[in-house]
Amino acid sequence: MNKGAEVGRGKTKVLYQHPEQADSLVVVSQDSITAGDGAKRNVITGKGRLAALTTSRVYRLLNDAGLPTHYISGGEDEDSNEMLVRRCTMIPIEVVVRGVAAGSYLKRNPGVKSGTVFAPRLVEYFFKDDARHDPQYTAEQIVEEKIATSEEVVLMSDYARLIFDILAHAWRRQNVLLVDLKVEFGRANKEGGGTEILLADVIDNDSWRIWPAGDQALMLDKQIYRNIATPSTSDLDNVKAKYEEVAERVAAFAKRSGGFVGIIMGSRSDTPHVDRIEEELRSFAVPTRRHIASAHKTPVFALKKIQQLDNMLGRVVYITTAGRSNALSAFVDAATANPVIASPVLGSTWGGMEVVSSLALPGGVASMVVLEPENAALAAAKILAVDDSVVYGRVVMTQYRNRTNITEADKRLNAPPQGNGKAQ
Ligand code: C5P
């Protein structure tokens, strides 16, 4: 990548201005590894490339999930340790999320057993200051010292939890426990004015603790290096082998499972309902295939379509729209061992009753009965998310937005009156 002037330098990376784009930077990862606020330092040839590979693969998953990040491209090339990112003003706070008690938490809380599970996960803040050994800060201190606004602190904490949730899912698929994670944020200029909070800095094998099978003795992360007082060449080779393994493993993070939703509609007249289901599934990055088939009039054809979908490479979840009766859902459910979600069209009749609510529907005809198209799509996406971290990430982000829409509405409702002070 072409680079302009150097604009900054960390312990393991150098930042350059992008020669043409004023709001982009090039991050170049270095081969250094440090611990104890830089007190211990070694060079592992090739570590910079492994760090860039790991970071770019992690960021690709987070970008695909819809999280606001600074990552644009790069880091994947065999001979390159460079990434293109959006220029941000970094907020000098390390945000640590802990799923399980380990590391500095145990030192600060000697009564707590290693491996204690936190529910909810714990968020801690550390002010970046090597000379003072990165002191722990409260949210109030961050606001008081004008490091960030209270809204920014809430966003950083929310995003950090979401990031942890998505990365824990991606690691869980490989039977690896994400123990804790450090992230950092920056402010970037928004189109149309103002600033926005973006996940920035690197997320690599220095940023987390990861225990395969939940066993600390099998750890793959930088803690191995921290634990050795004076590492020998063979110790450093061992550390490098773990970093290589991690870079290789995270390549699977954003890989798609190939799962899809097979929509079996009883009638062409269900099209508007199915269009809404498909639109929602697109927002979860879930592909669909649709067929029209009738349990009464074309049972052989319906069975053939189900068998074709069942026999495809990707995992299938069915949604049946069952326009006029519940027969189609019961038929599909009996014909396949895969999950079936019945989403009857509102106002149709089912079992002689008009469909007005999913609660009124007789059960036992499908794995699930979900009336509203948006909720049927969400239910299908959740099933496919089991082995697809992009879909899981999008579900997590959608649920987060649904929650914040409610809390924002409540905030507006109870906001003090503006302007002349008269109630609106
Ligand atoms: O040392 P401590 O337990 O506070 O670390 C929590 C998490 O933050 C660990 O995953 C560690 O790798 C990470 N961390 C980091 N950079 C630091 C301090 C901690 O990436 N300066």
Side-chain angles (χ1 to χ4, degrees), residues 94 96 98 102-104 134 180-182 206-209 226:
E94 296 190 334
V96 171
R98 298 181 191 275
S104 76
D134 297 347
D180 49 32
L181 168 72
K182 186 270 300 182
D206 295 351
S207 313
W208 53 33
R209 289 191 176 90
R226 291 191 196 103

Side-chain angles (χ1 to χ4, degrees), residues 378-416:
L378 176 61
K382 279 188 171 184
I383 297 170
L384 292 170
V386 168
D387 52 14
D388 190 320
S389 296
V390 172
V391 178
Y392 182 81
R394 291 204 180 194
V395 168
V396 163
M397 293 304 290
T398 299
Q399 293 187 319
Y400 170 67
R401 277 189 296 269
N402 291 346
R403 283 196 300 274
T404 48
N405 285 345
I406 303 248
T407 49
E408 287 298 318
D410 178 72
K411 212 186 288 170
R412 279 196 298 276
L413 182 70
N414 291 296

Side-chain angles (χ1 to χ4, degrees), residues 204-224:
D204 59 21
N205 201 31
D206 295 351
S207 313
W208 53 33
R209 289 191 176 90
I210 43 174
W211 298 351
D215 185 349
Q216 184 170 8
L218 302 177
M219 67 174 80
L220 292 173
D221 57 86
K222 182 174 150 182
Q223 192 61 41
I224 302 168

Side-chain angles (χ1 to χ4, degrees), residues 81-216:
N81 51 359
E82 300 177 350
M83 283 174 289
L84 188 65
V85 301
R86 272 178 71 187
R87 188 179 193 131
C88 302
T89 309
M90 290 304 291
I91 298 172
I93 292 288
E94 296 190 334
V95 183
V96 171
V97 186
R98 298 181 191 275
V100 167
S104 76
Y105 184 88
L106 295 178
K107 287 199 193 112
R108 283 177 283 126
N109 301 275
V112 178
K113 267 210 205 115
S114 169
T116 302
V117 175
F118 294 116
R121 289 178 181 131
L122 203 67
V123 175
E124 295 176 335
Y125 309 100
F126 298 88
F127 181 58
K128 280 171 74 85
D129 181 356
D130 278 349
R132 288 164 61 207
H133 302 290
D134 297 347
Q136 189 174 10
Y137 265 39
T138 62
E140 290 73 22
Q141 262 176 299
I142 296 173
V143 177
E144 255 165 45
E145 295 189 16
K146 300 204 179 338
I147 299 166
T149 66
S150 56
E151 288 79 13
E152 286 175 333
V153 175
V154 168
L155 264 188
M156 289 196 290
S157 146
D158 284 354
Y159 287 169
R161 281 180 195 281
L162 296 166
I163 292 159
F164 192 101
D165 195 0
I166 296 166
L167 297 183
H169 179 275
W171 274 123
R172 190 181 299 120
R173 284 173 48 219
Q174 301 190 32
N175 194 29
V176 174
L177 176 71
L178 179 61
V179 172
D180 49 32
L181 168 72
K182 186 270 300 182
V183 287
E184 293 181 33
F185 296 90
R187 275 182 212 103
N189 291 328
K190 236 183 0 192
E191 265 180 54
T195 59
E196 62 182 323
I197 293 286
L198 299 182
L199 172 69
D201 196 42
V202 298
I203 299 184
D204 59 21
N205 201 31
D206 295 351
S207 313
W208 53 33
R209 289 191 176 90
I210 43 174
W211 298 351
D215 185 349
Q216 184 170 8

Side-chain angles (χ1 to χ4, degrees), residues 275-423:
D275 285 348
R276 282 174 62 194
I277 294 176
E278 270 192 345
E279 192 188 327
E280 198 67 14
L281 284 169
R282 258 198 305 278
S283 75
F284 293 121
V286 171
T288 55
R289 287 165 182 270
R290 52 165 111 169
H291 290 289
I292 300 173
S294 162
H296 307 287
K297 297 172 196 157
T298 62
V300 175
F301 175 73
L303 190 59
K304 190 176 171 64
K305 289 296 149 199
I306 295 163
Q307 286 168 344
Q308 275 174 354
L309 296 177
D310 271 355
N311 292 351
M312 291 185 67
L313 179 63
R315 181 190 299 281
V316 58
V317 172
Y318 290 93
I319 296 181
T320 58
T321 60
R324 238 171 269 137
S325 77
N326 64 359
L328 183 65
S329 302
F331 183 92
V332 178
D333 203 37
T336 180
N338 286 306
V340 180
I341 299 165
S343 178
V345 178
L346 196 73
S348 62
T349 51
W350 203 5
M353 288 188 300
E354 188 181 350
V355 173
V356 287
S357 133
S358 43
L359 294 177
L361 295 171
V365 294
S367 310
M368 239 187 265
V369 180
V370 185
L371 200 62
E372 298 76 11
E374 290 74 17
N375 292 341
L378 176 61
K382 279 188 171 184
I383 297 170
L384 292 170
V386 168
D387 52 14
D388 190 320
S389 296
V390 172
V391 178
Y392 182 81
R394 291 204 180 194
V395 168
V396 163
M397 293 304 290
T398 299
Q399 293 187 319
Y400 170 67
R401 277 189 296 269
N402 291 346
R403 283 196 300 274
T404 48
N405 285 345
I406 303 248
T407 49
E408 287 298 318
D410 178 72
K411 212 186 288 170
R412 279 196 298 276
L413 182 70
N414 291 296
Q418 301 271 310
N420 58 12
K422 284 187 192 146

